[in-house]
Every structure is written in C-alpha cells, then in structure tokens.
Amino acid sequence: MKPFAIQVHGSGIVGMAAALALSRQGLTVAMTPPAAAREADLRAYALNAASVALLDSLKVWSALPADARTPVYDMRIEGDAGMASALRFSAWQQQVRELAWIVDAAALEAGLAAALRYASHVEFTAEPVPAGLQVVAEGKASATRELLGVVFERHDYGQRAIAARLVASEPHQGLARQWFRAPDILALLPLDRPQPGHGLALVWSLPSERAAALLALDERAFEAELMQATHSAAGELRLASARAAWPLALARAERVCGPGWVLVGDAAHLMHPLAGQGLNLGLADVATLARVMAEREPWRSLGDIRLLERHACERETPTRAMLGVTDALLQLFSHPSPWAKELRNRGLGLVNAATPLKRWFTGRALGL
Ligand SMILES: Cc1cc2nc3c(=O)[nH]c(=O)nc-3n(C[C@H](O)[C@H](O)[C@H](O)COP(=O)(O)OP(=O)(O)OC[C@H]3O[C@@H](n4cnc5c(N)ncnc54)[C@H](O)[C@@H]3O)c2cc1C
C-alpha cells in the first residue's frame, strides 16, 4: 500500500477540517470517507471568529448557503432571578462586527465534504495505511484512542441536550438568548434556516429523566413547555424539525500526542455545550496543528514527538481553561441551593456592570 504523509481517522467536522488544512500544505492525506447516508444533524453551532477564519482559509465558509449561517449581534443571558440578573453582550459594545455565527451543522458537514472531493492530495480509505502522522479525530468514543492506550476519564453530567429547529412569531434580529434555570439551561440561537428572520435553533440541556419526559411529549405539548420556559420572550414558538438528544459529559485525554499520533477535537476533550465551545476548541486544535506542521524544521518528520509536543503544549492552557470554566459554570448554574442562586445572579449582575470584565469574557469566547 502506498505511504501517505498523514492519515486522518474520523470524518466529522474536525477530521474533515484537519484533512483539508494539512492537504493544502501539499501533504498527502488518507482519510475515513465521510458517512454517506446519515440522518441530518439537527444541531446548530455557535462558531467564534477564529473558527470562521479557519473555515474561510479552507474555502468552506463563503461556499455555505446564506441561510445556513447567521450572525449574532446581541446575546442575552438570564439567571433564575429574571431580567434583574441578566447579562447582555452586544457586538457594538465589544467593538466587533458580530459576536459569533450560528451555523447549520449539516450544511457545514456537507460544505467540508464537498471541498474534500476537490482536494487534490486527499484520498479516502477506511483501511489503516502507512503514514508519517496519524491524526485521530474520531470524536468522544474514539476506538483508535483506546487502541493507543490513552485514558479518557468521563464524568457524566446525568444530563441530555435536546436540539431542534423552531420558527418564532417574533423576528430574531440576530439575538441569541440563554436561560440558566437551575437545573436546566436553555438556548435559542438565531438561524435563518428554516425561515429567514424567524428561524431559531434550540439547545435545551436538562437532567436525563426530564429530557426523556419532554421528548415523549407530542409537538404541541413540547411547544407549550418551551413557551413557559422562555416566558414567551421570542413570541410563539413552533417546532420545525424532529427533536434529538445527546448525553452530556466532561472528559479530557490524559495525553493528546505520542510518537506519530495526535488527538484532536472531541477525541481529545469533551465538554457541556452551555458555552458552545466544543467545536471551536476542536477547530483551534486543527489550526494549531496545521501551523506547527507548516513551521516544522526541514529535518523533522511529521510524527516527530518534539513537533507534536509543541502542538500539545500550545493547546494545553486554552483547553484546560475552557473545560474548567464550562464545568464551573455548570456546577454554579445547576445547583438548587439558595446560596448558589444568590451567587450566580449577583455574579451575572456584576459581570454585566463591569465593562473590562465583560470584554475579557467575550474575548475568550469569541476566539479573539
Ligand atoms: C447539543 C450540542 C450542541 C453543541 N453546540 C456547540 C456549539 O454551539 N459550538 C461548539 O463549538 N460546539 C458545540 N457542540 C460540540 C460539538 O458538537 C463537538 O465538539 C463537535 O461535533 C466535535 O467534532 P469532532 O469532529 O471532533 O467529533 P464528531 O462530531 O463526534 O465526529 C467524529 C467522527 O468520527 C467517526 N468515527 C468514530 N470512530 C471512528 C472510527 N473508528 N473510524 C472511523 N471513523 C470513526 C464518527 O462516526 C464521526 O463521524 C455541541 C454539542 C452538543 C451535544
């Protein structure tokens, strides 16, 4: 079998982005073929500026259909003391064009798969091939990670996130809303698909039993629950898709590289979607890996452990910080005790009032 420079295992968004980014350096890439007939992913991702810049450099961003990506200009986060404890962000206040983009997951996957079909150095194979570097992007249940003997200790949150598409009677106006309702967390994200100006993507994280009960409801009853949970803030809400749910956990690989291999994306780290950062971290892994490979000394092979440790070292702090912040927020915002309620609502109010602190938080989340 002919040797390749790189083999990418897994053809999710992170794996496809890695294959494209590395092949653009002239490296030959073998990768798992993208799944042919799979149910469309109902999720929509909040992507930060760094992720958009990577997708743009891969010529994927501008090829996405216009209704598959919607800019977020404002963000409102409410605690369980209502508007009194709301935290508000605006692109204007943060001096950026938009705070984030909400992107249709299925359209992004299709866009990456289309770009890969035209990538001259990429070949699809499900077989193991000889390659200088194995990039493992198989997601949270990675079999290759297990074969490599890497420990991936999971802390199960006992929660599931329900995703669905909605149409609201009120226009979304580029506003993303999130309610921390202890113990559940509900987000309504503006997305012009399925209806320009009125489409919303729902992410509702709840204790698993409550999620199962909500999924068992018929459409009208589910909509009524949604209206109650959002205090009708977005107007009448109608389901415009099926509902799907994901179990939620926190995990981090005990090491992300070894001689000749590297873990990226959810294969390396897994987090709660409350901050919408899992894919952003995975795409940042890809951007860093591609840069480290591009800047390697001519005498170093692609699988050189010193090179891979440079990548791992760069990713260590942002990954650890994002996992820690997300987990701490979840503990604070899902705890039913009165002290936790007091602390979270005061905290939101304080951050809202402190412009430099708010700018700092936003900068981290926006990938600026
Ligand atoms: C409800 C929800 C909402 C989210 N919202 C956001 C958000 O707003 N913003 C954000 O940044 N992140 C978000 N995330 C996180 C995001 O979904 C993940 O971080 C991202 O999908 C990880 O991509 P990946 O390619 O690493 O893994 P995956 O998407 O899991 O892809 C891995 C791929 O590898 C394949 N595979 C597995 N094993 C093998 C094997 N042995 N051989 C070959 N192929 C294999 C799998 O079939 C799959 O196609 C959200 C997550 C959830 C659950």
Side-chain angles (χ1 to χ4, degrees):
M1 187 158 292
K2 84 173 191 194
F4 287 81
I6 311 265
Q7 179 163 31
V8 176
H9 302 260
S11 48
I13 293 173
V14 173
M16 289 194 279
L20 275 176
L22 293 164
S23 71
R24 286 172 68 84
Q25 296 177 22
L27 298 168
T28 55
V29 178
M31 80 169 296
T32 319
R38 223 179 33 186
E39 269 184 37
D41 195 324
L42 288 172
R43 285 174 293 186
Y45 294 129
L47 293 188
N48 63 22
S51 295
V52 170
L54 174 72
L55 294 168
D56 199 33
S57 73
L58 302 178
K59 311 279 180 253
V60 170
W61 185 250
S62 52
L64 288 175
D67 67 343
R69 54 186 173 105
T70 302
V72 176
Y73 299 118
D74 294 287
M75 211 174 272
R76 188 173 303 158
I77 300 174
E78 278 182 41
D80 41 8
M83 287 302 283
S85 64
L87 179 55
R88 298 179 199 90
F89 297 100
S90 77
W92 173 80
Q93 193 182 42
Q94 302 299 323
Q95 298 167 9
V96 290
R97 221 172 24 189
E98 60 277 316
L99 289 172
W101 287 84
I102 307 302
V103 182
D104 181 272
L108 181 54
E109 283 188 24
L112 284 159
L116 277 169
R117 282 197 289 277
Y118 297 103
S120 46
H121 303 291
V122 180
E123 284 184 35
F124 296 108
T125 172
E127 301 302 315
V129 294
L133 174 63
Q134 306 286 335
V135 177
V136 182
E138 293 172 346
K140 59 186 177 185
S142 169
T144 306
R145 183 187 59 219
E146 209 160 307
L147 279 177
L148 289 164
V150 178
V151 178
F152 191 68
E153 218 168 280
R154 274 172 77 116
H155 164 71
D156 209 318
Y157 283 126
Q159 290 198 349
R160 281 157 75 85
I162 300 177
R165 296 301 166 80
L166 310 169
V167 171
S169 59
E170 297 293 324
H172 63 59
Q173 296 181 315
L175 170 67
R177 300 170 187 268
Q178 197 167 26
W179 288 265
F180 285 93
R181 293 161 33 87
D184 58 306
I185 301 169
L186 192 158
L188 292 181
L189 309 172
L191 181 63
D192 287 336
R193 186 174 278 191
Q195 191 178 314
H198 291 263
L200 293 173
L202 167 73
V203 187
W204 197 354
S205 310
L206 308 114
S208 300
E209 275 179 25
R210 171 85 176 124
L214 283 177
L215 288 169
L217 294 176
D218 67 26
E219 290 195 358
R220 297 290 88 82
F222 183 81
E223 289 165 357
E225 291 281 348
L226 260 180
M227 299 283 295
Q228 198 191 14
T230 59
H231 318 292
S232 306
E236 282 282 316
L237 296 173
R238 287 273 164 261
L239 271 168
S241 75
R243 289 159 274 171
W246 284 260
L248 303 178
L250 172 77
R252 184 156 177 259
E254 127 255 17
R255 59 203 157 101
V256 298
C257 68
W261 61 267
V262 63
L263 306 177
V264 290
D266 278 17
H269 39 68
L270 187 62
M271 70 184 66
H272 195 285
L274 71 91
Q277 290 297 330
L279 182 57
N280 287 307
L281 271 191
L283 292 174
D285 292 346
V286 170
T288 303
L289 183 65
R291 183 170 41 72
V292 167
M293 291 297 143
E295 291 172 356
R296 75 184 185 280
E297 298 86 346
W299 66 87
R300 284 202 197 281
S301 67
L302 293 165
D304 186 323
I305 187 65
R306 297 281 291 275
L307 200 59
L308 297 171
E309 275 169 357
R310 270 180 218 161
H311 162 83
C313 191
E314 247 189 78
R315 296 305 302 141
E316 164 84 17
T317 307
T319 305
R320 191 184 282 277
M322 195 52 82
L323 263 66
V325 167
T326 309
D327 188 47
L329 283 174
L330 182 70
Q331 303 308 335
L332 180 63
F333 280 97
S334 59
H335 208 286
S337 71
W339 67 261
K341 179 173 175 170
E342 177 73 9
L343 189 63
R344 61 187 169 241
N345 291 318
R346 271 177 190 267
L348 283 179
L350 280 174
V351 174
N352 195 46
T355 309
L357 197 57
K358 212 159 137 181
R359 199 161 277 158
W360 185 86
F361 272 119
T362 325
R364 304 283 77 72
L366 299 184
L368 297 173

